[in-house]
Amino acid sequence: ILGKTTWAKQDVPYYITETFYVQNEKGNAELTIGSGAKIKFGPGVSLQVGQSNYGKFVATGVTFTTAAGSPSAGDWAYIWFGEHAAAGSGLSDCVVEYGGSDESYGSVAISANSKVFVQRCTIQNSASYGIYMEFAKPILTQNTFNNIAAENEFTRE
């Protein structure tokens, strides 16, 4: 992502076929995904925000799911908020399903960051954790978990 970008709801889903990064060295990478959009991930693919450089990511009312024709838990990896994810990054009113192929990190992973949020989301059909937190204390409110193979929320301090 180079600068501020918005993905609006389309008549067809967005397909992510390889790991996608929201970050850049200039410090201006920002992606907002609008309500009603659907994001489909290929096998083992993840969306990573602020892993090694600044990145901001906000999704409201978005469905994150598999691109597989016959969905199953672990079809794709995770949404990762790294230590350089900007304050105000997060997920609201989203559905995150069929992720968790990396059993260490779950469907949503938050590392060394307490500035992000996950609120009123449904996380389901994960092959691992629902939300994995590593040295992080994000804002988590009113989330629903269905069919999670490991724990709904796991914190590693």
Side-chain angles (χ1 to χ4, degrees), residues 101-156:
S101 67
D102 184 326
E103 63 187 44
S104 298
Y105 299 114
S107 291
V108 176
I110 304 165
S111 177
N113 195 317
S114 298
K115 301 174 285 193
V116 302
F117 60 88
V118 180
Q119 57 190 18
R120 298 180 309 278
C121 292
T122 299
I123 301 171
Q124 57 194 15
N125 302 312
S126 177
S128 184
Y129 305 105
I131 300 175
Y132 174 85
M133 296 163 283
E134 183 175 67
F135 308 110
K137 293 188 183 342
I139 300 165
L140 305 177
T141 53
Q142 299 176 336
N143 296 302
T144 303
F145 300 90
N146 300 309
N147 237 3
I148 305 298
E151 298 175 47
N152 289 344
E153 297 175 5
F154 177 80
T155 302
R156 180 171 171 240

Side-chain angles (χ1 to χ4, degrees), residues 7-16 33-41 60-67 71 95 97-98:
W7 293 357
K9 178 185 177 189
Q10 302 291 322
D11 292 336
V12 296
Y14 291 90
Y15 285 90
I16 299 180
I33 303 180
S35 184
K38 184 177 254 187
I39 311 298
K40 291 190 171 188
F41 293 93
T60 304
V62 176
T63 297
F64 298 93
T65 192
T66 177
V95 174
E97 59 186 7
Y98 302 110

Side-chain angles (χ1 to χ4, degrees), residues 42-62:
V45 172
S46 63
L47 187 153
Q48 299 188 20
V49 182
Q51 180 184 10
S52 57
N53 291 295
Y54 171 92
K56 184 172 184 179
F57 176 68
V58 178
T60 304
V62 176

